[in-house]
Amino acid sequence: DKIRLKGILKMDGYQPIEVEEMITLRCSVFAKKPPVIDGVIEKDEWNLQSVMNMNDPKQYVKLGSKTVYGGLEDLSAKVYTAWDYENFYFAAEVTDDSWNEMEGTDLLWASDGIQFGIAPTKSTVQLTQVDIGKLHDQFQVLVEIAANQANQGLVEDAELEIKRNGNVTTYELRMPWKKIFFDGFTVRKNTKIAFSMLINDNDGQGRKGYMENGSGLGSGIKNVGEFLDLFMVF
């Protein structure tokens, strides 16, 4: 997600100068072949160069004065997205030393899991928030906030697989665009949408914090203006 740009800046009447800059560019690549949703991230299914690295302590948001972030083994991740004209695809390899399902609640976000928000642009107030995780011993895909209110609730025609191996939890998701945006919405190639995500952290005593990529999602007030651009690369 970090790209080094180098070039020559030329201006009339002045000597050219070399310019070099590191930029963060988040890309979702077109899926020429849909990935198999089996909880295994294969390099021939996902473009592993198009990755969102979540490994910066500054990305971790603590909930409570006693919360301690224990570093990369406590919570970190590599995240991948892809798309075609029918579906949005999402995958994540999450390192978490303690992965827990919250008991005694129907709140999916209270357990270890992932939430992401999507909006057509950062200037709109319309967004869809999707929660994925395990609750009542079942994998669930929940539209918590919907741009189209008819889509709110559990998404039956999405595919989700979650596998835990050691301290790494792998998520793979296929979700139809029609469950994210209004009927008739078309994702156009080589454009951008607004995207933000977070990974909830529950070490057995309730949600203690979360790690985010983008902002505007984890607080009670949602703010699409704090989402980041996701370029839909064709």
Side-chain angles (χ1 to χ4, degrees):
D1 57 346
K2 289 188 180 295
I3 298 176
R4 184 182 300 276
L5 291 182
K6 296 181 67 176
I8 303 295
L9 176 63
K10 295 181 179 180
M11 296 182 290
D12 291 342
Y14 296 89
Q15 292 289 325
I17 60 173
E18 292 187 358
V19 178
E20 183 173 347
E21 186 74 23
M22 289 292 295
I23 66 169
T24 299
L25 183 64
R26 305 192 315 166
C27 296
S28 185
V29 298
F30 186 81
K32 297 178 180 178
K33 179 182 178 182
V36 177
I37 308 301
D38 58 1
V40 179
I41 298 176
E42 302 280 1
K43 65 180 181 179
D44 60 340
E45 296 177 343
W46 298 90
N47 187 325
L48 301 185
Q49 293 180 316
S50 181
V51 58
M52 302 180 204
N53 288 302
M54 300 177 68
N55 53 17
D56 187 339
K58 295 179 181 178
Q59 294 176 296
Y60 193 92
V61 178
K62 300 177 181 180
L63 300 176
S65 59
K66 296 183 179 180
T67 296
V68 176
Y69 172 59
L72 300 183
E73 293 300 315
D74 186 11
L75 190 65
S76 57
K78 293 182 177 181
V79 178
Y80 311 92
T81 68
W83 66 282
D84 57 30
Y85 292 111
E86 288 76 38
N87 299 290
F88 178 68
Y89 303 96
F90 177 95
E93 289 181 329
V94 179
T95 299
D96 187 350
D97 57 0
S98 179
W99 194 70
N100 296 278
E101 176 186 342
M102 191 71 174
E103 297 181 357
T105 180
D106 288 326
L107 301 174
L108 190 57
W109 56 262
S111 302
D112 279 314
I114 293 174
Q115 297 173 278
F116 62 82
I118 299 182
T121 69
K122 290 193 288 186
S123 61
T124 183
V125 296
Q126 297 175 343
L127 75 137
T128 295
Q129 179 180 316
V130 180
D131 301 356
I132 61 175
K134 186 179 181 183
L135 189 63
H136 306 313
D137 208 32
Q138 293 182 335
F139 298 152
Q140 293 189 8
V141 181
L142 172 69
V143 173
E144 186 174 342
I145 300 172
N148 180 354
Q149 293 301 313
N151 292 335
Q152 197 160 340
L154 292 175
V155 183
E156 302 294 342
D157 51 351
E159 286 185 89
L160 172 64
E161 188 68 34
I162 304 173
K163 288 187 177 179
R164 177 84 169 165
N165 184 12
N167 66 345
V168 176
T169 306
T170 301
Y171 299 77
E172 279 193 310
L173 170 71
R174 177 194 64 81
M175 187 166 178
W177 284 116
K178 66 181 181 181
K179 293 296 184 180
I180 297 175
F181 291 126
F182 292 93
D183 291 341
F185 179 89
T186 301
V187 178
R188 293 179 294 152
K189 62 183 181 181
N190 299 330
T191 58
K192 62 185 179 183
I193 60 175
F195 182 83
S196 182
M197 65 160 291
L198 60 86
I199 303 171
N200 288 312
D201 192 14
N202 180 331
D203 283 353
Q205 302 296 322
R207 187 173 74 149
K208 70 170 190 175
Y210 56 86
M211 180 165 277
E212 61 182 1
N213 192 303
S215 191
L217 194 64
S219 64
I221 300 176
K222 312 300 178 180
N223 186 352
V224 177
E226 295 182 1
F227 286 20
L228 299 178
D229 290 329
L230 182 64
F231 290 85
M232 314 306 285
V233 179
F234 187 82

